[in-house]
Amino acid sequence: MTEGGGNRPTKVAAVDDVAEPPSDNAAGPAERAPKAQPERDTWLPRWLVAHPLYAGWAWTVVWAGLIVLDEVVDLAGWTWYLLVLVAALPTLISTLVVLHATPRSHLRAVDATVLGHFFVRFLALVAAFMVWAASVVMSASISTTVQTVIGDSEKEVTALGFNLMLAAVPLVLSVLWMAFIIRCAWFLRRLRGWRQVPQKTRVPKKFLRGRPRLKRVVVGLAHPGLLLVAGLGTSLLALFVDAVELTLNVLE
């Protein structure tokens, strides 16, 4: 894909880069030596700094289990929204921070071929058409069902129609949320790859300059695979166990 492509050369930064103080040619050898700076972000646990991705996986698994438990104990219907959000919270926050700090020019246009550019847009158009066709069929089916169940009462038909629209809101929000997650994961793959702690990334070198421990954790959690599972996977899980029932119950 070529979104955000530019012709400027990409600046590649290592995850563990630490800012160095500028040298002063006029100063003596003792003055030119870099001064030792106190280590920052010592509050971060050593195991988290060493294995940020593993910590993200463990967090996701715990909250995915709570989503299933929510269905078993039959809590309030809205709690799955909160559980899905919390399950994706660490990797989502890290992703937003990394994407916000990265200019679009860092995604070079030469990464994708012209054929890939048009093929991806062809798939997007096909998907859009399929969604539109499905919405037309569902609209006709719902209209026929409403007329059969309610009859000719205009007031009751209108009331049921509004109820169906309200019931569809969770599904629509879920679909938009999942599309957002997929889009962010796509750009993360181009920015930092699939490794837990990549040696080279396209994240700007000034990002968290002088804070290597925090940078390692943030870039480690902003992993495309983790984001897909924590955001997309838990959303699908919650939809299958709860949201579909919420919509179908309106017709009863």
Side-chain angles (χ1 to χ4, degrees):
M1 299 197 48
T2 59
E3 284 79 1
N7 295 324
R8 296 192 304 173
T10 303
K11 298 180 180 179
V12 179
V15 173
D16 297 326
D17 282 346
V18 181
E20 297 181 356
S23 60
D24 187 356
N25 296 329
E31 296 179 359
R32 289 198 302 266
K35 297 180 179 179
Q37 297 181 355
E39 187 177 2
R40 305 181 65 178
D41 304 313
T42 55
W43 55 273
L44 290 171
R46 185 181 301 272
W47 59 267
L48 178 61
V49 177
H51 305 288
L53 182 58
Y54 295 158
W57 285 120
W59 176 277
T60 302
V61 169
V62 169
W63 287 98
L66 291 178
I67 292 175
V68 176
L69 181 63
D70 173 52
E71 172 64 16
V72 173
V73 299
D74 196 18
L75 297 177
W78 55 269
T79 52
W80 72 274
Y81 285 106
L82 180 62
L83 295 176
V84 169
L85 178 61
V86 175
L89 198 59
T91 182
L92 181 62
I93 292 178
S94 299
T95 297
L96 295 179
V97 170
V98 170
L99 294 181
H100 177 71
T102 305
R104 299 184 64 182
S105 59
H106 280 236
L107 298 177
R108 298 172 59 184
V110 296
D111 288 340
T113 63
V114 176
L115 177 61
H117 171 84
F118 287 107
F119 183 70
V120 170
R121 277 151 182 75
F122 169 75
L123 293 180
L125 290 174
V126 171
F129 173 78
M130 293 178 64
V131 171
W132 173 79
S135 66
V136 171
V137 173
M138 291 180 62
S139 298
S141 177
I142 291 175
S143 176
T144 303
T145 303
V146 169
Q147 291 292 336
T148 303
V149 174
I150 302 300
D152 297 330
S153 176
E154 182 177 352
K155 182 182 295 185
E156 293 183 6
V157 169
T158 303
L160 182 57
F162 277 111
N163 288 335
L164 290 174
M165 290 180 59
L166 292 176
V169 169
L171 293 178
V172 173
L173 292 178
S174 299
V175 171
L176 294 177
W177 162 264
M178 290 186 286
F180 173 74
I181 293 297
I182 294 174
R183 192 62 170 168
C184 289
W186 172 269
F187 281 105
L188 280 181
R189 182 194 64 84
R190 299 177 63 186
L191 282 174
R192 46 95 67 218
W194 295 95
R195 298 186 60 178
Q196 177 175 209
V197 182
Q199 297 300 319
K200 294 182 179 180
T201 71
R202 295 184 178 182
V203 180
K205 297 182 67 174
K206 65 180 181 179
F207 176 66
L208 295 178
R209 185 187 297 271
R211 307 185 68 176
R213 292 170 61 88
L214 182 59
K215 182 175 183 178
R216 182 185 176 96
V217 172
V218 171
V219 176
L221 288 175
H223 188 275
L226 178 61
L227 181 64
L228 285 175
V229 174
L232 184 63
T234 56
S235 298
L236 291 174
L237 176 63
L239 280 174
F240 279 118
V241 300
D242 195 17
V244 174
E245 290 185 6
L246 177 62
T247 303
L248 295 179
N249 286 340
V250 179
L251 295 176
E252 296 179 357

